[in-house]
Amino acid sequence: MSKKLFIKTWGCQMNVYDSARMADVLAPLGYRPVDDADGADMVILNTCHIREKAAEKVFSELGRLRTLKDRKAVVEGQRMILAVAGCVAQAEGEEIVARAPYVDIVFGPQTYHTLPEMVARAHRAAGAVLNTEFPAESKFDHLPDEAGIEGATAFLAVQEGCDKFCTFCVVPYTRGAEYSRPAAQVLAEARRLVAAGVRDINLLGQNVNAYHGADADGGTWSLARLIYALAEIDGLERIRYTTSHPRDMGDDLIAAHAAVPQLMPYLHLPIQAGSDRILAAMNRRHTADDYRRLVDKLRTAKPDLALSGDFIVGYPGESDADFAATLRLVQDVGYAQAYSFKYSPRPGTPAAVDDTQVPEDVKSARLSALQQLLDAQQAAFNQGFVGRTVPVLFDRAGKRTGQIQGRSPWMQSVYVQAPERLLGAIVPVRIDSAHTNSLAGTVETGMVTTGTGVHPLSPATMETRA
Ligand code: SAH
Ligand code: SF4
Ligand code: F3S
């Protein structure tokens, strides 16, 4: 009999990916995803611990779910299995068990391949099953093939964990040490995705460019080597990767941006701050000028490369002058888009116990100044596309009826009025107007495209790709 599974996900793309894989693991047990927790047989909260209030949000969500769980027991005489997964579970598993005893399972990011066993134990046992180990074996060797691949774009996890220990960040503690999946395993999964209709693969990792996957001959492959191999897969037209660390941006990877036409001209390359003093305190182990030089090299290799970044304002000890250096760096580099955050002290990280914390109002003022600059850069970047024709891979329905939506090579969201049969196709679109977070355009008939190029071709061919 089919059972209802509801998963709520917070956090990064890796967490989104994990949630999909949890559903894959539970499918053989009869669990089918639903989009409401009410009445579900199992609810998983896949949590994030990166910034403040994460744990509080989980506890308040749990309070609400407890009511649904009680109701299911009374109305249906059935038990709702309640599980907390992800980075809050990893960091605060014992506290969850203590504070919310009605939770049945608490498990971290590295153990979800054992979900069937955990569910069986939860059914047998009265107390909570807590599983926040970092097992020696990799979950990737035990996960089933991806089920239910839908659409033309997909994420593929190739690397996980982090050994960098930036002083503000919980990821090395919640995800564990850096691990790369073997190259053959990644290639096999990519082929499966492409066979199922995927044309754009985004290689995923917390430090994806630190990838060093084992090959069959006892050697290791770099991310660049992996990208060259992926580029051989027929039908895979777009390759991306995220998130990168500046220190792992090897020359071979920079060269791949020039050499591999399928590698899209968009790179998320966080620096966090523009002051060398703050970068050193953060343990980033590179300077702002190292980063500027890296950007120059990348743009020499790929002149139209669009850059994205992450920034933290108000790191402990950050002065007005330090913050001004961040604004200067943003001015110098020019971002197509970026994410920016107020520093949030995370329990267990070195920066949290620094006694030079920046007052909240100063953080807020700096964040809004930075965001004003980043928004202006993003608007200018997008505005530069008006009147141009760009190849768009349509992968979902738009917000309004008759609209479909997709991505440009530069990761911009583009929407047009067009029939749904163009979903899955790469189609040339003339950009009519630009907004902060999206572009609006019109499909150019009579042309189709591959990768980033636009070639004249008959409309009939265009339709067969849909
Ligand atoms: N591995 C990636 C980032 C992962 S976390 C990298 O090294 O760039 C995603 C982003 O969250 C970080 O880039 C950082 O900007 C932000 N972040 C992480 N910890 C934070 C904290 N304690 N306070 C505020 N922002 C934080
Ligand atoms: Fe966190 Fe730094 Fe690792 Fe990124 S590189 S995940 S910011 S510790
Ligand atoms: Fe959050 Fe964990 Fe991702 S803390 S950002 S879900 S790695």
Side-chain angles (χ1 to χ4, degrees):
M1 201 192 69
S2 156
K3 295 179 222 140
K4 292 181 224 152
L5 168 67
F6 176 74
I7 307 182
K8 176 161 179 163
T9 311
W10 289 270
C12 60
Q13 284 305 335
M14 187 68 89
N15 247 20
V16 175
Y17 179 88
D18 288 345
S19 289
R21 304 316 311 273
M22 287 175 205
D24 291 346
V25 172
L26 289 168
L29 275 66
Y31 285 99
R32 298 287 170 264
V34 293
D35 40 20
D36 189 3
D38 198 0
D41 297 285
M42 178 160 179
V43 173
I44 302 176
L45 301 182
N46 196 8
T47 62
C48 171
H49 206 229
I50 203 82
R51 279 172 292 274
E52 76 264 68
K53 303 206 184 87
E56 290 92 288
K57 272 187 226 152
V58 174
F59 282 112
S60 82
E61 186 76 22
L62 281 174
R64 198 178 69 85
L65 288 168
R66 179 188 201 168
T67 318
L68 298 182
K69 181 177 168 119
D70 290 346
R71 183 156 67 199
K72 187 167 175 87
V74 173
V75 177
E76 295 178 39
Q78 298 280 333
R79 179 159 165 209
M80 173 191 282
I81 298 274
L82 194 49
V84 183
C87 292
V88 176
Q90 187 65 45
E92 302 191 25
E94 280 170 19
E95 190 178 344
I96 295 169
V97 171
R99 265 179 67 182
Y102 48 90
V103 169
D104 302 288
I105 310 176
V106 177
F107 60 101
Q110 303 309 341
T111 53
Y112 62 78
H113 57 295
T114 66
L115 259 172
E117 187 196 322
M118 290 191 271
V119 171
R121 273 167 57 205
H123 274 295
R124 279 199 308 270
V129 177
L130 175 66
N131 192 354
T132 49
E133 302 296 302
F134 286 115
E137 71 201 21
S138 157
K139 66 180 175 231
F140 292 111
D141 296 336
H142 299 273
L143 289 172
D145 288 351
E146 288 218 37
I149 301 159
E150 277 173 29
T153 57
F155 285 97
L156 200 179
V158 302
Q159 182 278 341
E160 192 178 357
C162 179
D163 297 339
K164 296 273 190 305
F165 290 92
C166 300
T167 52
F168 51 82
C169 182
V170 292
V171 172
Y173 311 100
T174 61
R175 291 276 162 172
E178 223 172 83
Y179 169 79
S180 297
R181 294 176 74 182
Q185 205 182 73
V186 172
L187 291 171
E189 193 162 324
R191 285 192 201 98
R192 262 198 312 274
L193 290 169
V194 172
V198 170
R199 300 179 75 187
D200 177 330
I201 290 183
N202 203 334
L203 305 172
L204 204 54
Q206 259 101 28
N207 257 308
V208 71
N209 56 345
Y211 179 83
H212 55 282
D215 66 13
D217 311 319
T220 56
W221 282 21
S222 66
L223 185 65
R225 178 109 191 248
L226 184 68
I227 287 168
Y228 283 105
L230 287 164
E232 300 287 312
I233 299 177
D234 220 19
L236 178 55
E237 307 218 23
R238 293 179 166 193
I239 302 170
R240 308 174 186 273
Y241 59 93
T242 195
T243 294
S244 301
H245 193 289
R247 280 176 58 82
D248 294 317
M249 209 69 221
D251 285 340
D252 61 341
L253 187 54
I254 297 173
H257 276 277
V260 181
Q262 295 97 322
L263 188 56
M264 289 293 103
Y266 170 87
L267 180 62
H268 184 61
L269 191 64
I271 181 169
Q272 315 296 354
S275 147
D276 288 344
R277 207 173 64 81
I278 296 298
L279 287 169
M282 287 175 161
N283 191 33
R284 294 291 290 185
R285 300 199 286 138
H286 61 78
T287 65
D289 279 347
D290 291 337
Y291 184 89
R292 286 183 178 90
R293 276 189 292 271
L294 179 56
V295 167
D296 284 346
K297 269 201 207 173
L298 279 158
R299 285 190 167 139
T300 304
K302 189 78 184 166
D304 68 339
L305 187 76
L307 281 173
S308 157
D310 289 348
F311 296 91
I312 294 177
V313 299
Y315 182 85
E318 187 187 67
S319 66
D320 287 339
D322 291 322
F323 176 62
T326 297
L327 293 179
R328 227 163 26 241
L329 179 111
V330 171
Q331 291 281 15
D332 290 349
V333 170
Y335 287 89
Q337 70 119 64
Y339 304 92
S340 45
F341 314 99
K342 286 193 254 185
Y343 168 71
S344 162
R346 308 314 294 137
T349 60
V353 291
D354 194 310
D355 55 14
T356 55
Q357 300 294 326
V358 172
E360 202 52 34
D361 57 336
V362 176
K363 287 190 209 174
S364 300
R366 287 181 189 165
L367 186 68
S368 71
L370 176 60
Q371 287 184 340
Q372 212 178 335
L373 174 59
L374 289 168
D375 286 350
Q377 289 191 341
Q378 181 170 359
F381 178 75
N382 285 342
Q383 201 58 43
F385 283 82
V386 174
R388 283 176 62 184
T389 294
V390 301
V392 176
L393 171 54
F394 289 109
D395 62 347
R396 65 218 122 109
K399 292 198 184 86
R400 307 227 177 96
T401 37
Q403 272 183 1
I404 55 171
Q405 211 171 315
R407 296 247 175 226
S408 78
W410 304 272
M411 208 60 179
Q412 294 140 305
S413 181
V414 183
Y415 62 90
V416 300
Q417 291 287 331
E420 290 209 356
R421 62 183 159 75
L422 290 185
L423 291 178
I426 296 175
V427 179
V429 172
R430 198 193 61 243
I431 303 303
D432 301 321
S433 61
H435 311 279
T436 319
N437 293 310
S438 62
L439 302 172
T442 314
V443 169
E444 298 258 21
T445 46
M447 295 168 112
V448 293
T449 61
T450 49
T452 50
V454 179
H455 313 282
L457 222 77
S458 76
T461 320
M462 182 169 90
E463 283 164 29
T464 58
R465 305 301 302 242

